Amino acid sequence: MKAARFHGQKDIRIEEIPEPELRPGTVKLKVAWCGICGTDLHEYLEGPIFISAPGHPHPLSHENAPVTMGHEFSGTVEEVGEGVTDVEVGENVVVEPYFVCNECAPCKAGNYHLCTKMGFIGLAGGGGGLSEKVVVDRRWIHKIGNIPLDEAALIEPLSVAHHAVVRSGAESGNVAIVGGAGPIGLLVAAVLKGLGVTTIVTELSEARKAKALSSGVADYVIDPTTEDVKARVLELSGGIGADIGFECAGVNAVLDTMLDTVRPAGVIVNVSIWGKPATIDMQKLVLKEIDLRGTIAYVRDHEAVIKMVQDGVVDLAPFITGRIQLEELISEGFTTLIEHNDTAVKILVRS
């Protein structure tokens, strides 16, 4: 089968590899669509990061580069392994793409997303969505019912957004500011809107500002190059400030803006993955008693997210801005998102 394989920095190859073999307790999927994630771009430009370097296999997958990429994917069940009785051939599903040990303290406490050996399918090994087929443990399979398979490829990043919102404690009637209208920022705003939160989005890109408004996930969009963000947020929040800020850009200026715009005793959730250490004005954190929280991936979020989409609370269709073939992954996918990221939100790949 065809698969996109990470060999090293700026070295991803479309190769022919053997189909994965079904094992007891697993499900074999024909991949439908796979999204290109910002993490994939970081691996391509700066990696290996989450991918294990040659000679240093991941402790759970026992794989190292080259590995098949892709962790935001949907597919159709092709075969079920021995012992799997609640999934049927032909069902459409998505994958919660984890490797966890089930033995460390976080795993035993139910926080499997904080597993000390955690890895992601499509990064740590185990195949991936940028291929034709994949075999996954039944535990990580989630049925999607009538959700279209292309939209379902966004269930994984929407689960990231949902977990971040859960971490924030956001409630209906709150005011939230989302820093950055990339895919995750837009999906955070979508979850917030679904909860009845007033959403303010900051963004520089014309295309992404337009998408935040046209998709309906932003009540207000502020361009920091043309407006005073702090003054505008105070105006929109009755002079109080935002209840919650979400840092979704991995940019220090955005983090600084969150510190300036949340109200005293407000909450800031850092959602982005940072490529280098950030600096923070601790005096602002201290004097306003701001609660700064981290968030990583998701934990028991997929089922709630699937229901939100099925119930029409979140519409994923507007965020799909491109569909390409696997052979076009670098030329039309990675290159577009790296060099022209203001023109695209989520590009989907069909194997």
Side-chain angles (χ1 to χ4, degrees):
M1 68 174 187
K2 293 181 297 183
R5 306 273 286 172
F6 176 95
H7 285 261
Q9 196 172 109
K10 296 186 179 178
D11 186 5
I12 295 174
R13 309 173 197 173
I14 309 302
E15 300 178 325
E16 288 285 338
I17 63 171
E19 281 191 20
E21 296 183 2
L22 194 68
R23 308 179 303 275
T26 65
V27 176
K28 188 173 188 177
L29 306 181
K30 172 69 178 76
V31 177
W33 294 96
C34 183
I36 301 173
C37 175
T39 302
D40 298 326
L41 302 179
H42 281 297
E43 290 289 346
Y44 178 70
L45 293 171
E46 305 154 10
I49 304 168
F50 288 101
I51 293 172
S52 296
H56 301 277
H58 189 273
L60 298 179
S61 72
H62 309 296
E63 294 184 50
N64 52 240
V67 297
T68 300
M69 296 187 72
H71 59 277
E72 301 180 355
F73 60 97
S74 62
T76 302
V77 176
E78 191 171 77
E79 295 181 65
V80 294
E82 179 185 342
V84 177
T85 59
D86 58 347
V87 175
E88 297 182 2
V89 172
E91 286 191 287
N92 290 340
V93 301
V94 292
V95 172
E96 186 175 356
Y98 272 134
F99 289 103
V100 299
C101 74
N102 299 313
E103 296 173 349
C104 66
C107 278
K108 289 181 177 179
N111 298 319
Y112 58 83
H113 64 311
L114 303 178
C115 173
T116 57
K117 297 178 180 178
M118 184 268 285
F120 291 100
I121 296 168
L123 290 167
L130 290 171
S131 69
E132 295 181 70
K133 299 182 182 181
V134 65
V135 171
V136 180
D137 288 346
R138 167 63 186 95
R139 174 182 181 180
W140 305 120
I141 296 290
H142 298 275
K143 302 177 186 182
I144 58 170
N146 61 357
I147 299 174
L149 282 164
D150 55 350
E151 294 178 29
L154 275 68
I155 292 292
E156 193 271 354
L158 185 60
S159 295
V160 172
H162 183 268
H163 183 56
V165 173
V166 170
R167 287 279 295 143
S168 77
E171 298 177 343
S172 177
N174 284 162
V175 175
I177 179 168
V178 178
I184 294 298
L186 290 170
L187 293 173
V188 166
V191 175
L192 290 166
K193 282 294 292 180
L195 291 178
V197 174
T198 297
T199 58
I200 305 167
V201 173
T202 66
E203 176 57 53
L204 306 177
S205 157
E206 292 297 331
R208 291 184 171 186
K209 286 189 292 185
K211 181 62 69 176
L213 290 170
S214 67
S215 64
V217 302
D219 292 300
Y220 307 96
V221 174
I222 303 173
D223 184 334
T225 64
T226 60
E227 291 188 80
D228 183 329
V229 179
K230 182 178 179 180
R232 184 76 172 119
V233 171
L234 285 172
E235 176 189 337
L236 295 172
S237 60
I240 299 169
D243 298 292
I244 308 157
F246 293 87
E247 200 295 309
C248 300
V251 174
N252 223 118
V254 177
L255 177 59
D256 293 340
T257 297
M258 298 300 105
L259 289 165
D260 286 336
T261 54
V262 296
R263 62 170 171 77
V267 172
I268 297 173
V269 179
N270 181 89
V271 190
S272 59
I273 300 294
W274 290 71
K276 58 185 179 181
T279 60
I280 182 169
D281 187 338
M282 292 301 294
Q283 197 75 339
K284 293 180 180 179
L285 191 83
V286 169
L287 293 179
K288 292 171 72 175
E289 285 201 347
I290 292 170
D291 189 345
L292 178 60
R293 301 175 185 176
T295 180
I296 180 67
Y298 27 73
V299 57
R300 295 175 295 277
D301 289 277
H302 277 66
E303 295 300 331
V305 161
I306 289 167
K307 188 174 189 307
M308 289 182 80
V309 176
Q310 289 175 331
D311 291 348
V313 176
V314 174
D315 180 9
L316 291 171
F319 305 114
I320 302 171
T321 53
R323 294 175 174 83
I324 63 174
Q325 299 299 311
L326 186 61
E327 291 80 4
E328 301 171 308
L329 178 66
I330 302 301
S331 61
E332 301 297 324
F334 279 47
T335 299
T336 297
L337 292 169
I338 292 167
E339 298 181 6
H340 309 285
N341 72 344
D342 60 336
T343 67
V345 177
K346 182 59 67 174
I347 295 175
L348 300 185
V349 183
R350 184 185 281 280
S351 300

